[in-house]
Amino acid sequence: MAAMSSSMGEAISPGLNNPPGGIGNPELGNGFPLDNSEDVPPSRHSGPVKTKFLEEMMSENPSLALTGNVISANFNIPYSLKYRLGADWELKPRRGQSALFDSFSYLSSDKTSWSHRVVAWTGEIEAPSTPISPPITPPSTTVHLSSLNSLSAPVPLDKESRLPSPPLTEGVHIPRADQERLEYQLSHTTGIKILPVWLADDTENTEIELILKDQARWRRYAENELYTMLHYKQHDPNDGRAERTQWADYYRMNQLFANKILEVYKPGDIVVVHDYFLMLLPSMLRQKAPHMYIAFFLHSPFPSSEFLRCLPRRKEVLEGMLGSNLIGFQSYGYSRHFSSCCTRILGFPSDPRGVDAYGARVEVASVAIGIDAKKAERFAFSESVNDKYAALKKMYEGKKVIVGRDRLDSVRGVAQKLQAFQRFLERYPEWNERVVLVQVTSPTNIEDPKGGENTTSTRVNELVLKINGMYGSLGFSPVLHYPQYLTEDEYFALLRAGDIGLITSVRDGMNTTSLEYVVCQKDSYGPLILSEFSGTAGSLTDAIRINPWDSTGVADQINRALVMSEGERKAMQESLYSHVKSHDVRYWIDHLLHRIMDVLAQSKNKVATPLLDRSLMLRRYTTAKKRLFMFDYDGTLTPIVREPAAAVPSARVIEGIKALANDHRNAVWIISGRDQEFLKQNLGHISELGFSAEHGSFMRHPGELEWEDLTATLDMSWREKVNDVFQKYTDRIPGSFVERKKCAITWHYRLADPELGPHMAEECKKELEGTVAKQWDVEVMPGKANLEVRPTFISKGEIAKRLVASYNKDMSQIPGSPVAGTGENQVDSGSIIEFIMCAGDDTTDEDMFRALNNVGCADVDPGHIFTVTVGASTKPTLARWHILEPEDVIECIALLGDSAFEGGKRPRMERLGSVNFGALSAVVGHIPEQ
Ligand SMILES: O=P(O)(O)OC[C@H]1O[C@H](O[C@H]2O[C@H](CO)[C@@H](O)[C@H](O)[C@H]2O)[C@H](O)[C@@H](O)[C@@H]1O
């Protein structure tokens, strides 16, 4: 997890007497205050101040207005709370997440143009005590706190009255009036507008009082399951019962967050959701407010798909995150893992920049968090720290000090650090008694799945004893281990006193200690040794990188850091320092918000294809005397399935197509990449249908049995070459196979590895374009998990053109014309076409849409041509309309087919699915007058 800090503030009781943004203790807010020192004092601000980053970004893209409302959703508020019955609540800055809380302060300050609110859980509330002072409550005139009116208040408001005893139920009971008091304190007195999410065990009485019994339940799933998995740790197998209960709490908690956000959300607001406690929140919000702007930021690492697979709720978690417009990670590696998980686990196409999910694009980005470097520096070199620093320097005089400050959690790698230090003392005995490792460990509330914190702690203690036993003496211990929290002063003094900062985490989202160490070494240039498994390693590229699992390697790097020349140390420090200063927490949040604005601007610029207007289509259809239908097959009449042979038409498709083709005013064609055999077997029995097989290579006219071969005169010698290339790739890629048709050849990779398949298809395409396509007139076409080669002159577009031209003339007498069939239902050949519907789902169908877009007005009125792509509205297409899936195509077919019988005539076919006369009348009834 990111942004841990040792911040520890004094308890304060904010109330109305405290000015907004500056309650009693100015240090309060987020461990220590937001630095204003180099800016104009707030009172003299004429308006919001833009950071350099924002100015640069806005000059690049002036259309981005970096202003509006931001709602940050975080698991807990920046304070730990102590409840005092009938009195103001006691708020203490919460330990950890200091960087994130600093970003909240920044967004809430007048240094940005954003209006900012935080929605967060109260956190575990400390049990009540008797009131210690009269409440500094808001005035009774405040509308917000109407229940504090003494008549309606559930508890007496004057301090003399005895408070009623809490009911006999166990747990903490918080009357509504006291909840409102906290809500008031949090929104008016802390400098950040905070809306608390109340999470109660008992949902029945929440209007009267909140009963909190098992407060830790809300963090259990996230900490036991998600934190564990995100850090590559695993449980021993269990029966899953505890997991189910914890999941239910996690789900409910995310829902309560969604409800709270929706209470205050207004269209146009940006919601930024933080970390693994709220992974379901983006999709819950998206369901309720489809147009909400949502960014999710994961402060933790994100594992590879091999590891995420082990999580029983992997799909729910990924789908939850995919409700966002943008998902930010601490490093590129984590964002790459996420995209890959979406492909491998959910089957969604992805690339390193994003995922295509449910017809929308979800962008991913790596935006590493920073610290408030100015504030940290000011604090680290303040008077109170100077004294402690001087004392430490004196204490370790004549020794080199290696400093470490980590949580006592196995992923922080404290055991690895000690092992490497032992190896160092063994390999470099010249440093014995001249180097000391000062290791501070703070407790963690996250349980280790394999035996808990105790295992790590026991191991660490054993190692400390062992090293001190081996290399220490009566007067000297090489390892000084302090398992305790440090005050802010002590913490910064220690980082300043270090000669080397040593971070050996084995998994870590962002390690803010390393950033604070860099700030503290501003003048003394102590090198930073940093684990390559920390998310920070991706940003602090000039630090000495180590693999914590390689003790000897770490030992050598410790020695290297100790013997480095001053010049080398200075150069390293200067570069690290400049990075930490320039990529601070403001840069981070500005950058994240800018990215979301950018993503939103891009999606606004994209022209979405409108959903097919069925009533318009029906209107045009019913009035037309001559109609032409062109249907693609796979992905249009049948859903895409794993194996081509399994994509057989349903009874509904057959019924619907039959009904359409039965109408003598309709010409219905199936224009497919499939071969003749497949089409004949599955739809060949509908004699009124016309067929075009293999993308136009072969045609079978309505009412006929013979196929026309349009490739008869073509040179087909390319097939052998293509076959060889496809075979080579098939041999290399398990699961892929070649479909050899009469003319076209298709290489399928749907059953291959989901990332390797598309990658090798790109390679294969390049190879074919550079060889076969140069020698022969053939086209290499990427399809849906396939690559297909066919002669260039043949395409679905050509067929579409021909059909329009042919049906537009009276060509029934011309042999070979598409309308020259003999069936009883032969289309009326005397007039021009008055209605065209053409539906398809993939790139080869775009050729038909292009051809139909170019049909001259004299031939067919463009308003009567319905080109329809099957897929999301965001899909790039030349079609004028879209519908989502084959099921919708079938419904449209049924709708049109049934329309012939509207008006009381008995239908000749079974009613199709959900479309019946009632539904049809409903649609017709709503047709606006022309
Ligand atoms: O023009 P179409 O009718 O859309 O045919 C295009 C290709 O479709 C078939 O492959 C695709 O569908 C399969 C079944 O759903 C699926 O398993 C495969 O991954 C898709 O690529 C067919 O096998 C090809 O011959 C067609 O060219």
Side-chain angles (χ1 to χ4, degrees), residues 632-634 639-644 647 671-674 695 739 741 746 748 750 784-786 788 796 841-842 844-845:
D632 163 57
Y633 182 76
D634 287 285
I640 294 291
V641 291
R642 285 165 65 79
E643 313 240 8
I671 310 216
S672 171
R674 291 285 184 158
H695 305 286
E739 182 188 0
K741 298 182 259 191
T746 313
H748 288 271
R750 184 169 300 281
K784 289 196 163 167
N786 76 30
E788 189 148 14
K796 290 184 176 183
D841 69 314
D842 68 18
T844 61
D845 304 314

Side-chain angles (χ1 to χ4, degrees), residues 349-363:
S350 72
D351 57 50
R353 291 177 311 283
V355 182
D356 296 319
Y358 315 109
R361 175 79 176 170
V362 180
E363 299 284 335

Side-chain angles (χ1 to χ4, degrees), residues 609-614 617 631 635-637 784 837-841 849 866-875 877 879-893:
T609 311
L611 188 68
L612 175 64
D613 183 340
R614 293 183 193 203
M617 181 183 69
F631 294 112
T636 300
L637 294 180
K784 289 196 163 167
M837 180 188 185
C838 173
D841 69 314
F849 304 147
F866 290 81
T867 46
V868 187
T869 188
V870 184
S873 63
T874 47
K875 175 174 132 183
T877 182
R880 298 226 166 105
W881 306 97
H882 91 105
I883 42 183
L884 282 171
E885 49 192 16
E887 196 58 26
D888 301 319
V889 179
I890 300 166
E891 290 214 341
C892 282
I893 292 174

Side-chain angles (χ1 to χ4, degrees), residues 53-262:
F53 172 79
L54 282 188
E55 275 165 10
E56 277 167 18
M57 286 300 169
M58 288 179 77
S59 67
E60 273 169 30
N61 191 349
S63 67
L64 293 180
L66 292 162
T67 179
N69 297 328
V70 173
I71 301 170
S72 298
N74 187 50
F75 177 55
N76 43 239
I77 60 172
Y79 306 102
S80 5
L81 298 178
K82 192 162 175 189
Y83 171 49
R84 300 185 297 187
L85 193 58
D88 278 355
W89 292 64
E90 194 178 300
L91 279 65
K92 264 191 200 170
R94 183 180 284 276
R95 270 179 220 285
Q97 292 185 296
S98 63
L100 176 62
F101 295 154
D102 282 338
S103 79
F104 292 168
S105 291
Y106 167 60
L107 283 179
S108 304
S109 74
D110 55 5
K111 294 182 187 311
T112 73
S113 309
W114 300 105
S115 157
H116 180 234
R117 264 179 296 191
V118 173
V119 172
W121 177 46
T122 55
E124 283 91 343
I125 292 168
E126 226 184 289
S129 56
T130 46
I132 50 173
S133 60
I136 311 168
T137 51
S140 57
T141 48
T142 311
V143 178
H144 176 70
L145 288 180
S146 54
S147 67
L148 285 181
N149 175 309
S150 59
L151 291 174
S152 61
V155 291
L157 292 176
D158 57 297
K159 61 183 170 140
E160 270 75 40
S161 308
R162 258 185 72 78
L163 292 158
S165 321
L168 287 172
T169 338
E170 55 170 311
V172 182
H173 292 245
I174 305 171
R176 184 68 202 131
D178 284 342
Q179 293 170 41
E180 288 184 351
R181 191 191 313 286
L182 178 68
E183 284 164 9
Y184 186 87
Q185 279 179 244
L186 290 176
S187 64
H188 288 78
T189 61
T190 57
I192 306 174
K193 280 196 181 119
I194 301 166
L195 304 176
V197 177
W198 297 98
L199 301 176
D201 291 79
D202 186 342
T203 48
E204 283 187 12
N205 282 332
T206 44
E207 283 306 303
I208 305 163
E209 67 173 1
L210 203 72
I211 303 173
L212 312 175
K213 291 180 203 158
D214 176 10
Q215 298 194 62
R217 64 193 284 183
W218 309 112
R219 54 172 78 246
R220 261 183 217 123
Y221 184 80
E223 291 181 350
N224 294 352
E225 305 293 327
L226 295 176
Y227 177 91
T228 309
M229 176 273 303
L230 294 171
H231 289 84
Y232 288 81
K233 295 201 280 187
Q234 229 168 348
H235 294 289
D236 285 333
N238 58 52
D239 68 5
R241 278 186 220 183
E243 187 262 2
R244 276 197 290 282
T245 315
Q246 291 168 11
W247 170 258
D249 284 341
Y250 183 74
Y251 191 91
R252 193 172 137 218
M253 186 257 290
N254 274 259
Q255 249 175 353
L256 290 168
F257 265 79
N259 295 347
K260 178 56 82 182
I261 290 170
L262 289 162

